[in-house]
Amino acid sequence: NAEIRYDWKSIDSKENPIKIDDLKFPKNFTWGVATSAHQVDGNCNCQWIPFENRKNWRGKQCIEQSGIACDHWNLYKDDTKLIKNLGVSSYRFSIEWSKIEPVEGEFDEDAIQHYHDMIDYLLANNIKPMITLHHFTHPIWFEDKQAFEHEENIEYFVRYCTKMFKEFSDKVHMWCTINEPGVYAFQGYIMAAFPPAKKSLQLAGIVNKHLILSHIAAYKAMKAMPNGDKSKIGITHSITIFDPENPNNAFETWLSNNINHTFYDAFLQFFVTGKFQFKAPKLLGLLLSGNPYMMLLKPTTSAPFIKLELESNVEFDYSEISDKPYDANDILDFFGVQPYSHVLVDITNLKAETEPTLREGGIKTDMPYSIYPEIMERAINVASYIGVPIIVTENGIADDKDDRRELYIRRHLYALSKVIEKGYDVRGYYYWSLMDNFEWAMGYGKKFGLYEVDFATQKRTLRTGGKYYKDFVEYQNSLKQ
């Protein structure tokens, strides 16, 4: 999956930019937007709350607190009108497990009714819901059981999934079991940027394995229920590729390959081959125990109270749970890819986490990576080996000034159109995000929204970049008439 570069000077110049009517998509293609519950709903009681309330060794707050977020829980009707205003036909959102089952074994009927009301309102406005069942959050009681670190805990996740499917599957026919398992494991168990903030390559591999088993168990249980045959159930995966800044540098190439393996590739390869192999060398653990580049100069961890496991070798074969030959179609109806960019591994750049290395002419986003539309082709290419339909379930840009969002959307849609022209089976695209939200450990400073949110007043305002997406979708809709 070598790095590729398009000639943007000839494709999308200031003098001759890509035009909306230059982009060709199938008439039945789904256009949508996406959010997740903890990032927009507010007042959640998931495992992120104690994580957000941690203090560092100087007694200061470690990260921003989510609080009321966008108050989407109460303002969903207004936000549904914003979705309808964009012209999209689908809304991907997550159910907040911690609100549904705040106490182990006790389901909150008021919370369940809230989602019934929200789904009914979306359908009344001709917007099809896509539900994500786990988007980085779960109840504190599940976290107290060490969540996905233990295989025996999978039954709690499946119980919750089947409860939700029983409630909503007569109205909702698109389901994502788990959002970005690779990110959950990488950030929670290698980088310690997500709860539970452990640094263990071994646990990262084990959690990845158990997330696969959780998806399979939930998928099979849901498909066996009423409405299972008419529901499409998949999983989503972030495919952010790490490339060596200098391909001739053997160490940068080695480091890129190993980060790719732990971040996305080991998980992805299971769905291609039916075999999961998570192997991480000791040196990778040392590099990632603090700033990955500072460790080259200063071999001490930036989190001295976190135990660091240095070896990992976790394997799993589909044949261990099935007497059937492996076929991805038995455990997946679609695969959701979430391509945002790539990251250049530059061992000379000690500020890479805030000031990424860029190729000549590269444009930085507000996140530590560049605008790189070619990731769309690369991500879809590797996902295509699974052999099931693909949906781009997230793609977007953090852009506080809103001076790059239109370019980002335009070029990524161009890349997506070319991928479809090549024959890849891509069924839909969801922009991340409908509105500004709580960007996990980075707080409220990263502005991904098509709609700007004034968090003091909860006023939403369509950005110029958001208007471009609206105009584009309206043009695509006109072709269907």
Side-chain angles (χ1 to χ4, degrees):
N1 195 9
E3 184 177 352
I4 59 175
R5 315 289 303 185
Y6 295 170
D7 181 8
W8 290 110
K9 289 182 179 179
S10 63
I11 296 171
D12 188 34
S13 65
K14 288 184 179 180
E15 298 76 22
N16 189 27
I18 298 166
K19 297 180 178 61
I20 283 178
D21 55 4
D22 290 336
L23 303 174
K24 309 299 182 185
F25 289 89
K27 287 188 176 182
N28 60 349
F29 199 79
T30 297
W31 299 103
V33 288
T35 64
S36 85
H38 185 61
Q39 293 179 270
V40 297
D41 279 358
N43 294 325
C44 295
N45 192 30
C46 61
Q47 88 280 18
W48 271 84
I49 299 303
F51 182 72
E52 293 164 23
N53 286 317
R54 294 175 310 152
K55 302 290 193 298
N56 67 17
W57 64 279
R58 290 180 176 174
K60 295 181 179 180
Q61 205 75 32
C62 286
I63 62 174
E64 202 167 357
Q65 293 175 296
S66 54
I68 198 173
C70 306
D71 199 20
H72 182 59
W73 184 266
N74 294 307
L75 300 177
Y76 72 85
K77 289 186 177 180
D78 293 336
D79 293 335
T80 297
K81 294 174 184 176
L82 300 183
I83 298 169
K84 189 171 184 178
N85 176 56
L86 294 171
V88 300
S89 62
S90 185
Y91 176 41
R92 177 180 170 236
F93 63 93
S94 68
I95 289 177
E96 182 52 50
W97 184 5
S98 69
K99 289 188 175 183
I100 291 290
E101 192 181 2
V103 178
E104 180 183 346
E106 297 182 13
F107 291 91
D108 188 321
E109 294 301 325
D110 289 340
I112 291 172
Q113 185 59 48
H114 167 86
Y115 285 110
H116 274 294
D117 294 343
M118 179 178 168
I119 290 166
D120 289 344
Y121 197 75
L122 288 167
L123 292 172
N125 283 275
N126 297 315
I127 299 168
K128 294 180 181 178
M130 175 189 277
I131 287 177
T132 301
L133 290 162
H134 188 279
H135 196 125
F136 297 157
T137 64
H138 45 249
I140 292 173
W141 62 261
F142 186 68
E143 183 74 5
D144 289 343
K145 294 177 182 289
Q146 285 79 53
F148 296 102
E149 294 175 29
H150 302 297
E151 187 170 345
E152 60 265 28
N153 289 341
I154 293 174
E155 66 177 279
Y156 302 108
F157 176 67
V158 175
R159 181 181 66 189
Y160 151 70
C161 291
T162 52
K163 174 74 172 176
M164 297 300 94
F165 195 78
K166 182 179 180 181
E167 288 285 346
F168 306 122
S169 63
D170 59 334
K171 307 173 185 178
V172 180
H173 306 303
M174 296 295 293
W175 296 78
C176 306
T177 54
I178 300 168
N179 179 77
E180 296 185 340
V183 173
Y184 175 88
F186 188 87
Q187 298 287 14
Y189 292 88
I190 295 178
M191 300 302 291
F194 285 14
K198 298 179 180 179
K199 292 200 173 189
S200 168
L201 292 169
Q202 186 73 15
L203 273 177
I206 290 169
V207 167
N208 260 307
K209 171 188 172 183
H210 291 160
L211 289 168
I212 290 172
L213 291 172
S214 296
H215 164 78
I216 294 172
Y219 176 91
K220 289 184 176 295
M222 292 158 70
K223 294 296 280 190
M225 295 173 66
N227 300 318
D229 57 341
K230 61 182 180 183
S231 295
K232 302 297 183 184
I233 304 171
I235 196 167
T236 79
H237 195 43
S238 172
I239 304 181
T240 297
I241 298 175
F242 291 77
D243 289 312
E245 190 278 331
N246 179 3
N248 295 321
N249 184 306
F251 183 69
E252 288 181 352
T253 299
W254 175 90
L255 187 55
S256 299
N257 290 340
N258 279 280
I259 297 175
N260 283 333
H261 172 79
T262 59
F263 187 75
Y264 84 90
D265 201 39
F267 187 89
L268 181 69
Q269 284 190 12
F270 169 80
F271 287 97
V272 177
T273 66
K275 298 180 187 296
F276 176 73
Q277 294 181 311
F278 187 95
K279 298 181 179 181
K282 293 182 179 181
L283 180 57
L284 182 65
L286 286 170
L287 294 173
L288 296 180
S289 63
N291 181 304
Y293 309 118
M294 283 297 290
M295 290 308 299
L296 294 171
L297 306 176
K298 186 181 178 183
T300 59
T301 176
S302 61
F305 303 109
I306 299 176
K307 183 181 179 182
L308 175 65
E309 302 281 351
L310 296 181
E311 295 186 55
S312 176
N313 187 357
V314 180
E315 298 189 9
F316 164 68
D317 194 309
Y318 179 74
S319 63
E320 295 176 24
I321 61 169
S322 176
D323 55 3
K324 296 172 59 179
Y326 177 71
D327 185 342
N329 288 277
D330 292 335
I331 56 172
L332 278 177
D333 297 325
F334 68 89
F335 192 80
V337 299
Q338 304 191 165
Y340 283 87
S341 184
H342 74 154
V343 175
L344 292 176
V345 175
D346 177 2
I347 61 173
T348 68
N349 182 4
L350 300 183
K351 298 182 179 180
E353 290 180 306
T354 55
E355 294 298 327
T357 299
L358 304 177
R359 296 285 186 222
E360 182 180 356
I363 303 170
K364 182 182 177 297
T365 75
D366 292 350
M367 298 288 277
Y369 46 68
S370 64
I371 295 177
Y372 179 66
E374 294 89 338
I375 191 63
M376 191 71 78
E377 177 176 339
R378 295 175 72 187
I380 290 170
N381 174 48
V382 295
S384 70
Y385 285 91
I386 297 173
V388 299
I390 293 168
I391 299 174
V392 179
T393 40
E394 285 183 26
N395 173 250
I397 181 176
D399 177 14
D400 186 23
K401 296 179 180 178
D402 195 37
D403 56 3
R404 293 148 287 169
R405 186 170 279 103
E406 179 179 330
L407 180 142
Y408 182 97
I409 297 172
R410 185 173 70 239
R411 291 188 175 181
H412 280 78
L413 292 179
Y414 171 87
L416 180 58
S417 70
K418 294 304 176 185
V419 164
I420 292 173
E421 276 185 21
K422 292 181 179 181
Y424 290 93
D425 186 6
V426 186
R427 305 285 180 89
Y429 172 93
Y430 291 74
Y431 180 84
W432 182 273
S433 175
L434 169 65
M435 55 194 165
D436 296 338
N437 54 37
F438 177 73
E439 187 52 36
W440 307 111
M442 294 186 177
Y444 287 104
K446 305 302 179 185
K447 310 296 187 181
F448 279 90
L450 296 172
Y451 287 92
E452 178 183 4
V453 177
D454 181 335
F455 289 99
T457 64
Q458 293 298 343
K459 180 181 178 182
R460 281 79 151 131
T461 304
L462 184 65
R463 287 190 166 102
T464 299
K467 187 175 186 306
Y468 175 83
Y469 187 55
K470 169 183 166 68
D471 291 344
F472 169 81
V473 172
E474 287 179 349
Y475 173 74
Q476 293 296 321
N477 290 339
S478 73
L479 300 178
K480 300 177 182 180
Q481 296 173 2

